[in-house]
Amino acid sequence: MDLSASTLLCPPLELTDKKEHGVISPSDSSFPKKQQPTIPMEFIWVKEGVGHAHEELREPVVDLEGFFRGDEVATQHAAMLIKAACLNHGFFQVINHGVDSHLITVAYDHMEAFFKLPLSKKLRAQRKPGCLWGYSGAHADRFSLKLPWKETLSFGFHDNGPEPVVEDFFKSTLGQEFDQTGLAYQKYCEAMKELSLALMELLAISLGVDRSHYREFFKDGNSIMRCNYYPPCQEPGLAFGTGPHCDPTSLTILHQDQVGGLEVYVNNKWRTVRPRRDALVINLGDTFKALSNGGYKSCLHRAVVNRYKERRSLVFFVCPREDKVVTPPEDLVCREGTRKYPDFKWADLLEFTQKYYRADDATLQNFTKWLLSSKPPNHH
């Protein structure tokens, strides 16, 4: 995940005029390919090529059926698989996860319909400065180089009040004609929230702490939903859909289409995560790394692009309520003897990655320094 500020995609002929407004295009459908030898320099990460992965991650696939059935033996087995993954790299997949496949299909259908809208209609949901929610792409309002080759639609989710916040977002930004889209994503987010709390229980079991500890911590959370659209890229060796980073959030629940493109850096190698229609990809973020007192990994990952095919994914970023103090369970600290990170509020880490720091593999360490010094670093 990259929670950085974003901007809009537009036809390339508008590139010169739009750049000053933070609008830049990663795609160029206006020129024949032979007239465009390369992609705009803003999207180039390394001139020698990004170097794609050639090996699979082979992360565990965890069957949740027994856990949901109340089978304690199956629950302990699932927790054991999760523990092994989280000690190593923090990535695993889950099947029999309880999320209706039709719900996932409908979410993709609405995403495809949205991204095919004319730019003028998508602009109605344009992400506003200082806000995480809305239609965006390329991050050009924050960064001038190494821009991601993608469009996104992001919105918040919580169920701490009577209002259906996702439905309200779509109606208020895109109008009444998007009420069915809002309803579809409201239901999708509710299913993600339910699954996330189950995963939090399994994570607690795997760490040997009270099994309700993390479930209680996250039950009133404010999470983030994102739809990612990665257009075909004629120079996939030079660009990324999302550059290498660790998620600053707590837990990420991803459904990716069958094109593939997610890669994880493990044991000094980039490795692919094979798409599975029946599975959801789970990875830990920096906030959960702190909640586990540094015991569980938040791993570097990226999304590569495809020369011929568009790629889509649905991502639910699990976050605590902004004012919650992120601190590991006392019995975990007592067992290990030392605190790895100071207490902090999720709002502070979110502010750090929005205003001062482009998420990478050292976010948590640099955030800790910033937190203790209260001085924004000069980074990126």
Side-chain angles (χ1 to χ4, degrees):
M1 169 194 125
D2 188 342
L3 276 178
S4 310
S6 309
T7 185
L8 303 172
L9 304 176
C10 67
L13 291 173
E14 301 177 41
L15 181 59
T16 303
D17 294 334
K18 295 292 186 180
K19 190 175 178 184
E20 63 187 77
H21 297 108
V23 181
I24 193 167
S25 173
S27 57
D28 190 342
S29 57
S30 303
F31 294 103
K33 286 183 180 177
K34 65 181 179 181
Q35 293 180 18
Q36 190 197 15
T38 187
I39 59 176
M41 63 171 290
E42 291 88 351
F43 294 94
I44 295 175
W45 281 71
V46 283
K47 290 181 181 177
E48 64 270 20
V50 299
H52 290 187
H54 299 291
E55 297 179 31
E56 278 190 28
L57 178 61
R58 303 194 184 281
E59 72 289 351
V61 177
V62 183
D63 190 338
L64 299 183
E65 184 179 12
F67 169 77
F68 285 125
R69 203 174 57 236
D71 183 330
E72 195 56 33
V73 173
T75 295
Q76 292 298 328
H77 179 67
M80 178 190 70
L81 292 175
I82 289 171
K83 181 172 186 173
C86 293
L87 287 171
N88 190 15
H89 45 63
F91 272 78
F92 57 97
Q93 299 204 44
V94 293
I95 58 173
N96 294 316
H97 42 64
V99 181
D100 192 326
S101 61
H102 178 68
L103 199 58
I104 297 172
T105 300
V106 170
Y108 274 116
D109 290 344
H110 282 283
M111 173 167 49
E112 187 159 347
F114 175 81
F115 285 121
K116 286 185 176 178
L117 288 172
L119 180 63
S120 59
K121 283 205 169 185
K122 288 187 281 193
L123 283 172
R124 284 154 59 183
Q126 181 176 359
R127 183 188 182 281
K128 294 177 175 58
C131 180
L132 285 170
W133 323 137
Y135 165 69
S136 60
H139 301 348
D141 61 333
R142 279 194 70 198
F143 311 117
S144 59
L145 295 172
K146 296 185 177 181
L147 302 182
W149 192 273
K150 67 177 176 180
E151 286 183 87
T152 63
L153 179 65
S154 307
F155 43 93
F157 171 77
H158 68 79
D159 52 7
N160 300 326
E163 304 84 9
V165 293
V166 177
E167 290 184 65
D168 290 351
F169 168 81
F170 278 90
K171 287 179 185 176
S172 64
T173 57
L174 290 164
Q176 196 68 35
E177 66 265 37
F178 284 85
D179 61 342
Q180 289 302 306
T181 302
L183 180 61
Y185 285 119
Q186 179 76 35
K187 289 181 176 177
Y188 187 88
C189 288
E190 288 169 356
M192 291 294 108
K193 169 75 178 289
E194 187 175 345
L195 173 60
S196 74
L197 295 181
L199 291 169
M200 289 300 172
E201 187 171 334
L202 281 165
L203 284 163
I205 294 168
S206 73
L207 282 164
V209 301
D210 185 293
R211 65 192 294 160
S212 66
H213 180 89
Y214 295 120
R215 179 187 279 272
E216 288 296 311
F217 185 80
F218 285 96
K219 70 178 182 181
D220 58 354
N222 292 335
S223 293
I224 302 161
M225 177 71 202
R226 177 166 293 167
C227 304
N228 287 319
Y229 169 70
Y230 303 93
C233 177
Q234 69 179 81
E235 297 282 358
L238 300 179
F240 283 122
T242 303
H245 67 285
C246 297
D247 293 346
T249 48
S250 298
L251 184 81
T252 303
I253 306 175
L254 166 81
H255 191 280
Q256 56 177 339
D257 67 13
Q258 296 302 294
V259 175
L262 175 61
E263 298 182 350
V264 182
Y265 196 68
V266 179
N267 297 328
N268 299 313
K269 284 185 180 179
W270 286 104
R271 301 170 191 267
T272 61
V273 178
R274 181 191 293 190
R276 290 182 55 129
R277 292 183 195 277
D278 62 340
L280 292 162
V281 180
I282 313 298
N283 71 272
L284 299 187
D286 289 337
T287 300
F288 198 90
K289 182 178 181 178
L291 285 167
S292 69
N293 200 35
Y296 277 1
K297 299 282 183 66
S298 171
C299 197
L300 197 67
H301 57 285
R302 66 187 188 183
V304 299
V305 286
N306 191 290
R307 182 186 297 272
Y308 305 106
K309 297 178 181 178
E310 62 185 17
R311 177 177 180 258
R312 302 165 302 154
S313 65
L314 297 160
V315 196
F316 188 79
F317 301 112
V318 181
C319 311
R321 205 178 64 219
E322 281 84 348
D323 61 351
K324 280 281 185 77
V325 176
V326 175
T327 188
E330 283 185 24
D331 50 345
L332 189 62
V333 177
C334 289
R335 201 185 314 152
E336 296 174 354
T338 310
R339 280 290 300 275
K340 303 294 194 304
Y341 305 101
D343 286 353
F344 62 88
K345 292 181 180 177
W346 160 238
D348 293 329
L349 179 54
L350 184 59
E351 178 191 18
F352 180 69
T353 56
Q354 288 300 296
K355 294 182 178 179
Y356 306 125
Y357 195 89
R358 191 171 186 174
D360 59 14
D361 60 347
T363 303
L364 201 53
Q365 296 94 305
N366 284 301
F367 167 69
T368 299
K369 293 175 187 174
W370 173 80
L371 190 69
L372 297 175
S373 69
S374 298
K375 294 178 182 178
N378 182 19
H379 183 85
H380 294 275

